[in-house]
Amino acid sequence: MTTTVHPVAPAAERSRADSRVVRRRLGPGRRIRFAFWIGPVLALAVWAAGSASGVIKPAILSAPWDVVIAFEDQWVHHDLLGNILSSLERSAIGLTLGVVTGAVLAVVSGLSRFGESLIDGPIQIKRSVPTLAVIPLFIAWFGIGQEMKIITIALISLVPIYIHTHNGLRSIDGRYAELAETIGISRGEFVRHVVLPGALPGFLLGMRFAVTSSLLGLVVVEQYNAVAGIGHMITLAEQYGQTDVIVVGLVIYGVFGYCADSAVRLTARRVLSWRQTLEG
């Protein structure tokens, strides 16, 4: 009589399989193909149906096909590409300055009680004061040129990066520090291999808020004496009552924000693939 011996899966593999089953049963479910486009396409369909049926009046919101015609006209006759590049340049420079400054301040404040005593209080005060409310002061300090616009966008982007990165640093399990002291690794190695990777989810969440905040700041600052940019185009369209051109600008802002946020989410999914979460 022969006995068949079935190989037993290692405990680690069984644990991973069990966790995947639990996430499928209790979590959000399997990933949907082309989920990125479902929401925007549905919104566009509702917009088109409302315009075609007359529910949405052209005086309230231009139809999608009118917006496409206005987009083509702006592209061919009014240098829409130049306006887009000008807006992207302002947003990118301001966002970069805000992200770098916010991340540095968060690391200094998060890893040092002395740094926190110097930095955290002013940041929290700034957090309670809307940046858009201090634009008149910025105009008095920096004028109404490019410098004021970039500084405003940077300041708006700085706060979410600081808040979420600082929270990520302080939320790291203290047992990791005890383990690091036990095995005798240096403070630099601890920061590089434990603290910074542990704070990365908070930083990436802050990036999502910072990207949308930078666009909010861009919309506002481009109303002030801008000679190029999407906001400048919208301001001119408002003066001439061109609602279709206004919608073109709003759609472009929306596309900027949606694509940037999706890029950050995709980066987070790849960089943080080691985490066992419902997203995985």
Side-chain angles (χ1 to χ4, degrees), residues 57-266:
K57 304 299 181 183
I60 298 175
L61 182 63
S62 299
W65 40 90
D66 293 331
V67 173
V68 172
I69 295 174
F71 179 91
E72 181 181 3
D73 178 70
Q74 289 292 317
W75 184 273
V76 174
H77 301 107
H78 298 88
D79 194 22
L80 178 59
L81 178 60
N83 288 328
I84 291 175
L85 294 177
S86 179
S87 293
L88 285 177
E89 180 184 9
R90 292 189 186 103
S91 181
I93 296 175
L95 179 63
T96 301
L97 291 176
V99 168
V100 172
T101 306
V104 170
L105 292 177
V107 171
V108 173
S109 176
L111 299 180
S112 169
R113 293 293 183 184
F114 179 72
E116 183 180 35
S117 65
L118 293 177
I119 296 171
D120 194 64
I123 293 292
Q124 298 302 331
I125 294 173
K126 164 61 197 72
R127 183 185 178 190
S128 63
V129 177
T131 302
L132 304 183
V134 298
I135 287 182
L137 191 59
F138 286 172
I139 292 176
W141 288 349
F142 308 110
I144 54 178
Q146 189 84 331
E147 186 179 10
M148 180 275 293
K149 298 175 176 61
I150 291 175
I151 291 175
T152 301
I153 295 172
L155 198 56
I156 290 177
S157 307
L158 180 151
V159 174
I161 290 292
Y162 174 87
I163 295 297
H164 291 284
T165 305
H166 183 272
N167 180 69
L169 288 167
R170 289 300 173 88
S171 300
I172 295 174
D173 196 330
R175 289 175 294 182
Y176 290 129
E178 297 175 3
L179 178 60
E181 292 179 0
T182 301
I183 63 178
I185 69 173
S186 66
R187 181 175 179 84
E189 291 176 322
F190 175 68
V191 170
R192 189 165 59 253
H193 297 296
V194 177
V195 174
L196 295 183
L200 193 57
F203 170 78
L204 291 172
L205 178 61
M207 274 294 298
R208 294 186 64 184
F209 285 99
V211 165
T212 53
S213 298
S214 69
L215 290 176
L216 172 63
L218 180 67
V219 171
V220 176
V221 298
E222 286 191 334
Q223 311 296 318
Y224 291 89
N225 196 45
V227 295
I230 302 302
H232 173 66
M233 182 186 74
I234 292 177
T235 301
L236 292 179
E238 178 187 8
Q239 295 174 359
Y240 292 103
Q242 299 172 306
T243 57
D244 51 352
V245 177
I246 295 175
V247 176
V248 169
L250 296 178
V251 169
I252 292 173
Y253 279 136
V255 170
F256 283 173
Y258 191 66
C259 292
D261 180 73
S262 298
V264 175
R265 291 177 62 184
L266 180 61

